[in-house]
Amino acid sequence: MLFVFLFNTDAKTCASCHPTAGVCTQKTGYVTCSCIAGYVGNGTNCTPIASCTTSTCCSQGYYWDNRIGYKVCTDINECADSTLNKCVPSTTCVNKVGIFLCGSSRNVACSSANCAFDQDCLSVTGVVQCADPCLNYQLLNGTDRLSTINSTGVFTTDRFNFGWFRYTGTGLRMQEGCVGAVKCGSAEPFTLNSTHPAIGQGISMISLQSNTVSGCKAAGTIPVKACPGGYYVYKFSGSLQSEVYCTGENQ
């Protein structure tokens, strides 16, 4: 187990940090909130360690270890807990500090066989099987993640999203190309570094880019599929970064 004391939250201004126990660190175009020594929290919420008795003192991905001599937020190994491991298949889970990641390779066997080019390994009504992600997805608000929005307040994150998602609202597809930092409700958001796949191409691995304060940089890939209903679905596998994936105006 890994024991940790510090978390932080990205925000637009220092006004979002805890008023008495928060530490505000200036970045380029935004700030990072953390807690002073003797407190635990994410910088916007800070609790004295002496009065912390529940897991609510810790950020997501950690639990409060209240044993004498410890009294710290401790990393949760989600991969070892069948109720927390959201990876399908579960064997692709890799535990990290405060988060876990799922594999997104198209070569992972599902119930002893690889899925067809247009299907993925999914849990459908509790049964792990090859299925069409265009028919098995979760909904995600695309309006809050539009690339035309300048980030304000406390920034949101997509790092804890797992599985296939379809956007709703004004932004129904992920943004293509660079948009710049401090956009989409994030500090250095992700956008696609290529065009969306077409109908009939199945699940495609599309390259990503991170819109950093120093420019766009390569940031891995994401599985994407074009669906017959005129929409796209995207597979999220967790992230080490507290950023969001930008959406573009409906087309």
Side-chain angles (χ1 to χ4, degrees):
M1 293 183 180
L2 181 65
F3 303 98
V4 295
F5 289 93
L6 300 176
F7 316 104
N8 56 66
T9 298
D10 291 333
K12 182 59 179 177
T13 67
C14 292
S16 294
C17 301
H18 192 278
T20 58
V23 177
C24 184
T25 303
Q26 186 67 51
K27 304 289 185 179
T28 303
Y30 67 100
V31 302
T32 294
C33 301
S34 57
C35 298
I36 63 175
Y39 286 75
V40 64
N42 60 9
T44 58
N45 296 299
C46 298
T47 303
I49 290 178
S51 61
C52 188
T53 59
T54 69
S55 60
T56 56
C57 293
C58 304
S59 297
Q60 185 172 349
Y62 301 88
Y63 72 93
W64 181 248
D65 189 337
N66 199 37
R67 291 178 296 170
I68 296 176
Y70 290 85
K71 295 187 180 298
V72 291
C73 290
T74 305
D75 174 57
I76 297 173
N77 184 355
E78 293 90 350
C79 297
D81 188 330
S82 60
T83 62
L84 298 177
N85 186 343
K86 300 179 182 179
C87 302
V88 184
S90 60
T91 54
T92 64
C93 184
V94 178
N95 188 59
K96 298 290 184 179
V97 179
I99 189 66
F100 65 100
L101 305 178
C102 299
S104 58
S105 171
R106 302 290 300 130
N107 298 319
V108 176
C110 181
S111 298
S112 75
N114 288 350
C115 297
F117 79 104
D118 59 347
Q119 295 186 334
D120 191 31
C121 192
L122 305 172
S123 178
V124 182
T125 62
V127 179
V128 175
Q129 58 187 280
C130 291
D132 186 354
C134 287
L135 303 175
N136 300 276
Y137 54 77
Q138 303 169 67
L139 296 177
L140 198 60
N141 189 329
T143 305
D144 294 342
R145 296 165 169 78
L146 281 171
S147 61
T148 54
I149 297 176
N150 292 322
S151 301
T152 59
V154 176
F155 297 168
T156 55
T157 178
D158 281 333
R159 74 187 302 240
F160 297 105
N161 289 335
F162 296 89
W164 286 91
F165 287 84
R166 173 185 176 181
Y167 289 110
T168 63
T170 304
L172 292 180
R173 54 186 286 170
M174 202 171 285
Q175 177 68 39
E176 299 174 358
C178 295
V179 298
V182 198
K183 294 282 188 178
C184 319
S186 181
E188 298 183 335
F190 295 112
T191 54
L192 296 184
N193 192 30
S194 183
T195 57
H196 282 75
I199 292 289
Q201 290 185 328
I203 298 173
S204 302
M205 300 300 293
I206 306 299
S207 60
L208 287 168
Q209 56 193 352
S210 175
N211 291 261
T212 73
V213 294
S214 58
C216 284
K217 299 179 180 180
T221 59
I222 186 172
V224 183
K225 184 181 180 183
C227 299
Y231 58 91
Y232 297 92
V233 288
Y234 308 83
K235 186 177 183 179
F236 294 91
S237 302
S239 175
L240 297 178
Q241 296 173 266
S242 298
E243 310 296 348
V244 303
Y245 294 80
C246 282
T247 59
E249 296 284 355
N250 297 344
Q251 298 180 5

